[in-house]
Amino acid sequence: MGEKDISQKNFESHNDVVADIVNGSLFEGEEFIKADSLIDAQPFSQYKADDGVLHEQERDVAKYCVDANCNVRLAMVGFENQMAIDSDMPLRVMGYDGDSYRDEMNQDTIVVDEATGKKRRVRNKRYPVITLVLYFGEKPWKKPRCLYDVIDVPDKLKPFVNDFKLNIIDVPRLTPEQVKRYKGDFQIIADYFVQRTSGKEYVPPNKPIQHVDSMLKLMSVLTRDKRYYDFLNEDSAAKEGINMCEVLDRIVAQGEARGEIIGTQRTLVSLVKKNLLSLRDAAAEAGMSEEAFKKMAGAM
């Protein structure tokens, strides 16, 4: 599993993040799905291909919705994260959703008649399965958006071949109004992509980050900017509640301090090479062992 997949799944493992994304994407930000109604679901399912071998497929994120007090009851919520357009995405999501509905059928209650000992199946109520495709790519996701975009269906067959549409959340192309429908950390991520896609200089919001570690690691891989990851490793003061303004200020400060250190090290190496300073004194000035200083000097 790649670093991007791990970071996305780690961030979306938080129930409040999942509930926020669903509510913001489907219900204009109203709290129809509650965080405490979600529990982890098994992301794996199996299918048998033409070769007769049993294969395994895995959703990126899967959550059961178990609270009957939710304003809208779902059997399962699934996320698929995409950085690139997948031409077969409708087929993939159909497979995931079909397996989830099959799982619902398998959850029917078996009741034993005390008098006869006979078993009978009690059919449980069925609930919908929804999969959202969260797309972060540079190009707009125009196609495929449904099954008809993937398979060749003659007009004569269309009355008999059910179409299947994808729920694409094209994050960089969201409107500012749509971004505001999200209330948590996903709003910060969506806002970043929307601002960057507009071609304007990014202005971070003054909004506290709830899941600092998982969100900044995801930002690091989505933006290909290692500074977010380095910030987590170097800044011991990073705590829940810090905002993006503070994160970027500290990243800039860390970069300047790192630049000063590298400048000092280059000066010391130059003095040693010119025999104006001993290796021992240069290493002591840099706060390094002589061996470490020589290794650093060789890399410059």
Side-chain angles (χ1 to χ4, degrees):
M1 187 183 298
E3 183 181 16
K4 175 182 69 66
D5 294 328
I6 294 173
S7 297
Q8 287 176 318
K9 292 181 180 182
N10 184 37
F11 175 66
E12 293 161 3
S13 67
H14 301 291
N15 288 345
D16 63 308
V17 171
V18 173
D20 183 40
I21 293 175
V22 173
N23 290 326
S25 300
L26 304 184
F27 308 121
E28 299 185 347
E30 293 188 51
E31 192 182 11
F32 277 78
I33 301 300
K34 300 176 182 178
D36 58 6
S37 72
L38 301 173
I39 62 172
D40 291 338
Q42 172 59 262
F44 299 99
S45 59
Q46 296 175 331
Y47 65 94
K48 185 175 289 186
D50 291 339
D51 56 9
V53 177
L54 198 63
H55 297 266
E56 191 170 67
Q57 58 185 6
E58 179 184 4
R59 286 181 179 270
D60 284 345
V61 176
K63 298 280 186 178
Y64 290 128
C65 184
V66 297
D67 187 355
N69 293 323
C70 278
N71 293 326
V72 174
R73 179 70 188 272
L74 301 174
M76 176 182 283
V77 174
F79 290 167
E80 293 301 309
N81 298 294
Q82 291 292 123
M83 292 295 292
I85 297 171
D86 185 345
S87 298
D88 286 326
M89 202 71 201
L91 299 176
R92 285 177 53 194
V93 175
M94 278 184 66
Y96 297 144
D97 288 0
D99 283 325
S100 297
Y101 283 119
R102 170 63 65 178
D103 184 57
E104 279 197 81
M105 293 170 58
N106 293 336
Q107 301 304 315
D108 285 344
T109 304
I110 303 299
V111 177
V112 179
D113 189 299
E114 294 182 359
T116 64
K118 292 184 178 180
K119 297 180 180 179
R120 62 184 179 88
R121 181 183 295 272
V122 177
R123 184 182 183 277
N124 294 334
K125 193 171 183 178
R126 315 293 193 219
Y127 295 98
V129 174
I130 291 181
T131 299
L132 301 180
V133 179
L134 304 177
Y135 173 61
F136 298 90
E138 296 180 1
K139 298 180 180 179
W141 186 303
K142 295 181 179 179
K143 283 189 177 184
R145 286 185 169 270
C146 64
L147 181 61
Y148 280 10
D149 290 339
V150 178
I151 61 177
D152 184 10
V153 186
D155 290 339
K156 290 184 178 295
L157 287 181
K158 285 185 177 179
F160 310 101
V161 178
N162 293 326
D163 201 357
F164 178 89
K165 77 176 186 68
L166 291 178
N167 298 308
I168 302 287
I169 311 301
D170 194 340
V171 178
R173 263 64 59 177
L174 292 173
T175 66
E177 291 73 22
Q178 289 173 320
V179 170
K180 291 178 182 177
R181 295 173 183 173
Y182 304 103
K183 310 302 181 185
D185 290 346
F186 189 75
Q187 184 193 79
I188 301 173
I189 294 175
D191 178 65
Y192 172 86
F193 277 91
V194 169
Q195 287 197 48
R196 293 300 299 268
T197 301
S198 71
K200 299 178 182 179
E201 183 178 354
Y202 174 58
V203 179
N206 187 20
K207 179 181 177 64
I209 301 172
Q210 296 171 315
H211 304 287
V212 177
D213 185 83
S214 59
M215 198 207 97
L216 292 184
K217 284 178 179 176
L218 178 57
M219 282 290 291
S220 182
V221 297
L222 289 178
T223 62
R224 300 180 178 89
D225 190 338
K226 191 173 178 290
R227 293 179 301 168
Y228 291 105
Y229 188 82
D230 292 339
F231 165 78
L232 291 170
N233 289 336
E234 295 181 16
D235 198 324
S236 60
K239 298 178 180 179
E240 303 298 300
I242 193 173
N243 61 50
M244 283 296 286
C245 293
E246 296 171 297
V247 169
L248 293 179
D249 285 345
R250 293 189 190 181
I251 283 176
V252 170
Q254 287 174 354
E256 292 174 349
R258 193 179 298 117
E260 291 176 2
I261 292 172
I262 292 174
T264 300
Q265 291 173 344
R266 290 185 184 278
T267 299
L268 292 172
V269 169
S270 176
L271 292 173
V272 170
K273 289 181 178 180
K274 294 177 181 179
N275 294 320
L276 298 175
L277 188 67
S278 69
L279 176 63
R280 176 186 296 178
D281 290 342
E285 183 69 23
M288 306 168 68
S289 67
E290 292 185 31
E291 182 179 351
F293 188 90
K294 285 196 295 185
K295 185 176 179 180
M296 176 200 66
M300 287 186 174

